[in-house]
Amino acid sequence: MIETISGDVKRMDSKRSYRTMLYIGLAGILGALARFGFSTIWNPSTEIVFPWGTFFCNLAGCLLLGFLVFTDKLRIPAQLQMAITTGFIGSFTTFSTFSYETVNMLRQGHMILAFLYVLGSLWGGLLITWLGIRLAKSIQGGNLS
């Protein structure tokens, strides 16, 4: 198995790779439960039009991923970083639910809301990721461009 973090590529022995997969799986469970919680709180019924829970989870995941991938000062071990980025953030954020919710809004005739959801998710995600990177670089004292 190959481990990649921040552009580094190295081989992992099988014992370590199984442990990493276990950590990713456990973090994935936590991310899925967190997303379920936010969706339950902010999308309390199936009749709600704008999916605030999914929107929040996707943007929060962008911020966290942008921050974690570009910060070296925290010295997060590679296995833990993989568990957080691939496991937690991977299950916390959701492109498939975003797509379904967009199509559902379109089917219900909420064209403007669907457009705003797509625009806010895409451009908001890019902006929030960039802000996460800037935050990480500011903590490290690096170039903020």
Side-chain angles (χ1 to χ4, degrees), residues 63 67 71 129-140 144:
L63 179 69
F67 178 79
T71 189
T129 301
W130 177 76
L131 289 173
I133 294 167
R134 284 184 57 98
L135 180 61
K137 288 184 175 185
S138 72
I139 288 172
Q140 297 179 126
L144 295 180

Side-chain angles (χ1 to χ4, degrees), residues 1 42 69 84 86 92 94 98 106 117 130:
M1 176 173 232
W42 284 329
V69 170
I84 295 169
T86 303
F92 183 66
T94 172
F98 157 75
L106 291 170
Y117 185 44
W130 177 76

Side-chain angles (χ1 to χ4, degrees), residues 12-30:
M12 293 190 307
D13 60 59
S14 61
K15 183 178 180 182
R16 185 171 170 206
S17 67
Y18 289 127
R19 192 174 327 127
T20 300
M21 286 188 286
L22 176 65
Y23 295 155
I24 290 170
L26 293 172
I29 291 169
L30 295 175

Side-chain angles (χ1 to χ4, degrees), residues 49-113:
V49 177
F50 195 85
W52 289 107
T54 306
F55 187 70
F56 170 79
C57 289
N58 286 340
L59 293 183
C62 288
L63 179 69
L64 188 57
L65 187 64
F67 178 79
L68 287 176
V69 170
F70 285 93
T71 189
D72 295 326
K73 219 172 195 130
L74 296 178
R75 293 199 168 96
I76 299 171
Q79 284 180 313
L80 179 58
Q81 188 173 22
M82 286 181 71
I84 295 169
T85 57
T86 303
F88 183 84
I89 297 172
S91 64
F92 183 66
T93 60
T94 172
F95 187 75
S96 57
T97 302
F98 157 75
S99 299
Y100 168 77
E101 289 166 342
T102 302
V103 169
N104 199 36
M105 282 188 273
L106 291 170
R107 286 181 52 230
Q108 293 176 357
H110 301 291
M111 304 301 176
I112 294 173
L113 276 179

